Amino acid sequence: MTHADLVFTNGPVHTGDPARTRASSLAVTGERITAVGHDEVRELIGPRTEVVDLAGRLLLAGFQDAHVHAVYGGMELAECDLTGTVGVDDYLARIRDFAAAHPGRTWITGSGWSLESFEGGLPTRQLLDTVVPDRPVYLVNRDHHGAWANTRALELAGLTRTTPDPADGRIEREGDGTPSGVLQEGATALVARLVPESTAADRLAGLLRAQTLLHSLGITGWQDALLGVFNGQPDPSDAYRAAALDGTLTARVTGALWWDRDRGADQIPELVSRRAELSHGRFRAGSVKIMQDGIAENFTAALTSPYLDGCGCATGNTGLSFVDPLALREHVTALDALDFQVHFHALGDRAVREALDAIEAARTANGRRATRHHLAHLQIVHPDDITRFARLGAIANIQPLWAAHEPQMDELTIPFLGPERAAWQYPFGSLLRAGATLAAGSDWPVSSPDPLAGIHVAVNRAEPGATDGRIFLPEQRLDPATAIAAYTAGSAHVNGHDDAGVLRPGALADLVVLARDILTAPAEAIADTGVESTWVGGRLVHHR
């Protein structure tokens, strides 16, 4: 008998395998699971076997995040952090304190402010001037689709009342046309291009900082949703390549290469070259990210009918499609033929339809291929398109934390969609019932990377700690096992890790131990559960 290197006993063990969903013991030899069962697994314990007594704690397949910006998130942890509050006075105090603590910084940069903190979601340059008048300030908002700049930053960028809006964005303005301090979508690049560039060392440090955090949350792998230069943000690709080559990348990571929407098919040969150049060790760059629209809160998500105004009347604005829909079909067909996965940002119902149309064109031209195209965000999905996901093999990449009543939803979204479209939001249950494969991610640093918080909202359709009893579209709730599957087997499938996400012999020993069994605990307590330990390939990468 060959003894195991590692044995977990005294479960529960949630396998995620429909043939046997529950066990109490699991054995690992090398990087892989060698046995799943009950008392018989203990026979594999030898003198050198490490034994982990679960003592009633829950063992799961390691979580995977199907849409995250890990390097950006890790780098932002070292900047002015405005997350964790929605108070304007708190923002200003943090900005003032950060500037005082970093007198040598030529620019004050950071992120995390929330649209809900300001009337209409629009802070002003003058507000920033009160705390940092002498240096440029550039702060990305929580959703990373807009930024807040002070007067000095706008002046350095040369933005005036006569500066035109870029085709893919908008400069918010005062009554006389003077830039007010908020830049939306592509307009952020007008200032971001002046921000001092990060170094390769900064980006690598950001990746390793993020990896430590993600492992602490039970995450063993992820898909980085943007490898390239975007709106002045640096390309994080070099960090992944360096970490993969020197062995410091302990997670399994898929990278989504950025599709430059100002170019066309001429960039495809470059993407092919980058895929080969960057793929090493635990890192693979086999996905292409196409951002088809913006977000609903700033009215750039692409809709099939116009947004409403504050009085409930239709406007002339239906949002932005960043890539021409007919060209999108051609591009996706070409990428699919080259075995690229396409990772769509598709938030509004028109963008979702355009992405599905592109996948359908690729299927018609190329047949069914194992490219695993997926649509991330899916805030508004027209009912006519729900069944198309399963039919086309398009994976629904959900960000569950957003599917809850909170001020940004209730004040800045629902009134401008109207009741019919508001009821089409985040249709997790409908997609599941229609046979779609669900994967899950966080979009961190846009929102928390904690999978347990995401599972909590997917199950409860209410934010952790909510006490008002309101449930956001309760018919779209998922049961705990399905929500777990989206964060494990579903995301592993999207990320191309077919031997992860389920606990069965032969699978990779990518594992997480939770402090309690969230499948039997009260649903409203899921987010309160802690991560005890995380393992990648049978190696401990986090222990509380």
Side-chain angles (χ1 to χ4, degrees):
M1 178 183 297
T2 300
H3 293 135
D5 296 324
L6 175 65
V7 170
F8 295 87
T9 64
N10 297 325
V13 176
H14 178 71
T15 69
D17 186 345
R20 179 168 58 178
T21 60
R22 300 287 272 190
S24 60
S25 299
L26 180 144
V28 176
T29 303
E31 285 198 336
R32 297 189 178 269
I33 297 168
T34 46
V36 179
H38 297 284
D39 290 346
E40 73 279 7
V41 175
R42 296 181 61 86
E43 298 175 6
L44 299 176
I45 297 173
R48 297 185 179 179
T49 302
E50 180 182 359
V51 179
V52 177
D53 184 354
L54 294 170
R57 297 185 293 268
L58 178 66
L59 180 67
L60 293 172
F63 298 125
Q64 295 207 21
D65 192 315
H67 183 106
V68 67
H69 304 280
V71 178
Y72 295 156
M75 290 173 65
E76 287 179 9
L77 291 174
E79 297 184 329
C80 183
D81 182 11
L82 302 180
T83 60
T85 183
V86 294
V88 175
D89 290 341
D90 288 341
Y91 293 154
L92 296 178
R94 291 189 192 186
I95 297 164
R96 182 190 300 109
D97 292 346
F98 185 86
H102 298 86
R105 288 204 176 204
T106 57
W107 281 71
I108 302 303
T109 57
S111 62
W113 59 273
S114 180
L115 299 176
E116 69 190 75
S117 302
F118 305 96
E119 184 176 355
L122 300 174
T124 67
R125 59 188 173 91
Q126 292 89 348
L127 203 54
L128 279 179
D129 293 345
T130 65
V131 290
V132 187
D134 56 336
R135 282 182 282 172
V137 180
Y138 178 79
L139 303 166
V140 179
N141 68 12
R142 187 179 71 180
D143 58 41
H144 286 64
H145 288 262
W148 179 18
N150 70 348
T151 300
R152 183 62 180 143
L154 297 171
E155 289 173 347
L156 288 172
L159 302 189
T160 70
R161 69 186 66 181
T162 61
T163 304
D165 288 344
D168 60 349
R170 183 173 69 248
I171 302 169
E172 300 292 353
R173 301 177 189 270
E174 298 167 0
D176 65 354
T178 300
S180 66
V182 173
L183 307 164
Q184 307 284 16
E185 299 293 345
T188 58
L190 300 174
V191 172
R193 62 185 174 82
L194 301 178
V195 174
E197 292 186 6
S198 63
T199 66
D202 293 333
R203 294 188 288 276
L204 180 58
L207 170 59
L208 298 181
R209 195 180 293 121
Q211 180 173 254
T212 297
L213 173 63
L214 296 174
H215 281 335
S216 77
L217 298 172
I219 296 169
T220 58
W222 63 80
Q223 183 158 157
D224 194 299
L226 203 167
L227 298 186
V229 176
F230 168 65
N231 282 354
Q233 297 186 85
D235 183 355
S237 301
D238 58 351
Y240 283 111
R241 187 174 190 275
L245 288 172
D246 70 14
T248 53
L249 184 67
T250 51
R252 306 183 198 279
V253 182
T254 297
L257 304 172
W258 176 247
W259 179 268
D260 186 341
R261 57 202 186 206
D262 293 327
R263 300 172 61 191
D266 64 297
Q267 67 190 289
I268 292 177
E270 297 171 24
L271 296 172
V272 173
S273 296
R274 292 193 72 206
R275 174 172 60 182
E277 174 189 328
L278 292 172
S279 297
H280 296 280
R282 288 185 171 177
F283 181 70
R284 292 289 181 269
S287 188
V288 173
K289 167 69 173 296
I290 298 180
M291 186 173 179
Q292 188 57 14
D293 68 341
I295 61 170
E297 292 87 351
N298 69 7
F299 313 116
T300 58
L303 304 182
T304 56
S305 57
Y307 287 94
L308 307 182
D309 62 19
C311 298
C313 299
T315 68
N317 178 26
T318 58
L320 300 174
S321 292
F322 291 133
V323 180
D324 175 78
L326 295 180
L328 183 67
R329 298 178 195 181
E330 296 177 5
H331 300 330
V332 172
T333 298
L335 291 167
D336 179 75
L338 292 167
D339 293 323
F340 276 109
Q341 174 189 79
V342 180
H343 180 156
F344 295 93
H345 169 117
L347 198 140
D349 63 334
R350 189 177 83 234
V352 171
R353 182 167 293 173
E354 290 165 353
L356 292 172
D357 288 346
I359 294 173
E360 186 162 21
R363 301 297 189 218
T364 300
N366 303 330
R368 293 294 286 260
R369 302 172 67 86
T371 37
R372 306 183 189 186
H373 305 311
H374 54 123
L375 283 67
H377 307 325
L378 302 176
Q379 179 168 354
I380 306 159
V381 183
H382 194 288
D384 292 348
D385 291 317
I386 293 287
T387 60
R388 299 180 70 196
F389 283 80
R391 179 164 59 83
L392 296 172
I395 299 164
N397 184 343
I398 63 175
Q399 282 63 64
L401 266 179
W402 305 347
H405 282 293
E406 43 84 30
Q408 197 157 296
M409 169 64 72
D410 294 341
E411 298 169 12
L412 300 178
T413 303
I414 290 175
F416 304 100
L417 295 178
E420 181 181 37
R421 284 184 302 197
W424 299 349
Q425 293 187 89
Y426 304 116
F428 307 157
S430 294
L431 287 163
L432 179 70
R433 289 186 288 271
T437 297
L438 302 184
S442 65
D443 206 13
W444 181 65
V446 172
S447 48
S448 168
D450 185 358
L452 289 165
I455 291 169
H456 180 106
V457 178
V459 171
N460 293 283
R461 300 287 286 206
E463 289 190 308
T467 58
D468 59 11
R470 293 190 302 160
I471 301 173
F472 184 68
L473 303 176
E475 69 277 10
Q476 302 300 343
R477 288 178 291 194
L478 301 178
D479 65 86
T482 298
I484 290 170
Y487 273 99
T488 52
S491 292
H493 176 72
V494 159
N495 293 338
H497 301 143
D498 291 332
D499 50 357
V502 176
L503 304 185
R504 60 184 172 219
L508 288 164
D510 295 353
L511 312 166
V512 58
V513 177
L514 303 185
R516 61 180 166 186
D517 187 351
I518 61 173
L519 289 153
T520 58
E524 61 272 16
I526 291 173
D528 298 329
T529 304
V531 171
E532 294 290 322
S533 59
T534 307
W535 309 70
V536 179
R539 175 188 167 197
L540 183 67
V541 294
H542 166 75
H543 188 270
R544 187 165 70 173

